[in-house]
Amino acid sequence: MRLKVAVCFAVVMALFGLPVVARMSVSKTQRKLSLDRRVDELLSQMTIEEKVGQLNQVFYFKQFMKPEIVEPGIREGKIGSLLFVTDPAIINRFQKVAVENSRLKIPLLFGFDVIHGFRTIFPVPLAMASSWDPALVEQAQSVAASEARAVGIRWTFAPMVDIARDPRWGRIVEGAGEDPFLGARMAAAQVRGFQGQDPSSPGRLLACMKHFAGYGAGSGGRDYDSAYIADAELYNVYLPPFKAAVDAGVGSAMSAYMDLNDVPATGNAFLLRDVLRKQWGFKGFVVSDAEAVGNLVTHGFAEDKSDAAYRAFTAGVDLEMSFPGNAISNAYTSSLTKLIAEGRITKDQLDEAVRRILEAKFKLGLFDNPYVDESRVAAIHNNPEHRRLARVAAQRSAVLLRNEGNLLPLVKGDPKVSSVAVIGPLADSKRDIRGSWSFVDDIKSAVTVLEGIRAKVGSSVKVEYAPGVDIARVYQSPFVIIQGPRPAPWTETQKRAEFEKAVSLARSSDVIILVLGEHEEMSGEAASQSSIELPGQQLELLKAMSGLGKPVVLVLINGRPLDISWAASNVSAILEAWHPGSEGGNAVADILYGDATPGGKLPVTWPRSTAQIPIYYAHNITQEPEAKKTFTSRYWDIPSSPQYPFGYGLSYTTFSFSNLRATKSEMRVGESTEVMVDVENTGRRTGEEVAQLYIHQRYGSASRPVRELKGFERITLAPGQKRTIRFTLGKPELTYWSGAVKEWVQEPAVFDLWVGADATASLTTTLRVVKR
Ligand code: NOJ
């Protein structure tokens, strides 16, 4: 029988298989040849100035710029790309100037920060990572891509894949948290979501991994601050998500702002040439972050603008992103021509960079189809499926941190509950439910927690609202220009009156739902905070509410872990919703009332207080581990353990893990084994658990972290249902970059393995890896 199958297979392969394979590779080669020919032809017609123009990308904000600021530049071929144009009519207008009125008719490439949605806002990236669900992340980014593409945007400055281990850093909200393995999975999923099989296909965008590299490690959590990262940490922690994005076919990369080991990332040839191109074989193009080229002078790295252009260009930045007419930027347009005339940059070097940009434009199909169909925008944006997915995404990203006495889920139609007080400055804030980088959605359509609860419980339950306090805190968002200013802070009299109003409303209600956290602009770019305490008087409000003897549910809306140590031991139920997006209020109500079961898990270690920062689970063991009690590396005045470990999150049901085993207890270097575990739903509701595999290499050429995540899977189990989960552990998972050997190594050693529901999992076994 087997023989028969094999013979049939061979015949089929001989008849059809090989020719198909051959035909496929021929057509791929032909496509490449014809692409090369088209690019060569164009390059041969271009003046130096026109080539330099293709390396120039400028911002355009319709809010405060006139088209005349950019149109002459487009016509003269001095601008190759624009960002922040989101109006399809303006996109078509500018594109017309490029393809009908410029000499060589080269289309413009329009880019935008499509970070977690465009018209439909999905949960912020840190929240999406909390879903531990790469398939969901991919789907969400494909929706975001289709909405942006509908207006003519062809390129997104996402995913941001910076590892962040300091929650003071505002941009922690934009990434997948602290872990390279989870970060890599999220990076690849986002690239697939944006680009699909081919970024030119309908509804897709070209993706851009950023910020290359090490931006999350800025000193003290201050944005843009210098990062000092030893090679071992760079390769093992900060680079894996970028490498995963490259392997997933990401089309472009953005250089970061900060100094990495004293060399600004935008002038860093080690990063942009050695790692990105030589080690990883990256074939796309590199764009600078905004103004980053000119800012090489500000860094004290380049002598002047011309030197900045030289250093960025020769380090490997192909395209400069800048503000038109700004004094700092436009280094390429103002200097490259002269640098070529002087022979400091060769024409071949210039052609190499221009080729990458033109290739991207050809591959995106811009030469064949430069315009966008304005009549189709509304239908794509109003697709109800997008809102449905945003709601599912928000449900799946929420993390249940505490649920004493199973206060949650609340029961719809509970005869003991006739009134609910929804309290807190974020309970009815449409602006804050969305999170940073939400620019072109219809803010009115965002659903707040108050609205979600009202819709959920219907008219039989009285739902009343009071903000209680005002989050007045000093910060200056760079985005007020787009988002508009916040209302003036409350006066002292107003503060007292509003606080009293909230207390008396809560006193006369049966259940209190308190919604606290941060304004959307408190995280994101240029939004670092020295403290992770609940801003303003929110803790006071929380204490006052908790003192009323009523059931209190705390819902957090925020972009970073916050100090909730008081709540963690005094409030029965805490749900971390993050900034959950357009459908956030509905999703929160779904979870609070049991129409959805929480299953999200923390993608970051949650500190008890600011003083514990930086705190992350994958640290090395010190000479004096805490168990020793006397000579220990701990602080004496605070505990060393976090408030909640990495990977943590509760459900409305319970799970047990058992029977952890590896198919091999011993294997050779280079081999792999399966690791299996049984997971059972031991509670009474259907729920979702994330099985997480951690490893520890006990000894080797370098010390290894106490634990490292090496596999995970989110699964749904009905009550009493049991499933065996399988992970593969082999060379990719057991290899690391050794600071001693200065190379990637897989070493013979004994490994501890754990599988469980978070980074403190106790179910363990060992694996011995011996010499090949
Ligand atoms: C600066 C930010 O650092 C970057 O992430 C963003 O893509 C650009 N501005 C463009 O908005």
Side-chain angles (χ1 to χ4, degrees), residues 227-303:
Y228 288 93
I229 312 176
D231 281 356
E233 197 180 10
L234 194 64
Y235 282 117
N236 292 321
V237 178
Y238 287 91
L239 293 182
F242 289 100
K243 175 68 166 53
V246 170
D247 291 345
V250 72
S252 66
M254 185 186 289
S255 66
Y257 275 134
M258 75 312 140
D259 279 339
L260 174 66
N261 303 328
D262 293 339
V263 181
T266 297
N268 197 315
F270 161 70
L271 283 175
L272 299 172
R273 294 213 176 274
D274 297 349
V275 175
L276 191 59
R277 300 234 179 253
K278 290 195 195 129
Q279 293 177 23
W280 296 352
F282 175 66
K283 297 276 183 292
F285 66 89
V286 175
V287 63
S288 76
D289 203 337
E291 313 271 86
V293 176
N295 271 324
L296 294 181
V297 180
T298 322
H299 272 280
F301 179 73
E303 184 181 354

Side-chain angles (χ1 to χ4, degrees), residues 403-411 511-512 551-553 571-573 592:
N403 195 17
E404 284 303 294
N406 290 329
L407 172 59
L408 292 177
L410 302 171
V411 179
V511 172
I512 303 168
V552 176
V553 176
V571 177
S572 301
L592 297 187

Side-chain angles (χ1 to χ4, degrees), residues 84 112-113 118 121 434 436-441 479 482-483:
F84 265 83
F112 188 61
D113 291 277
F118 185 74
I121 302 297
R434 299 141 65 241
S436 62
W437 297 106
S438 311
F439 294 131
V440 275
D441 57 320
F479 299 111
I482 306 169
Q483 304 281 20

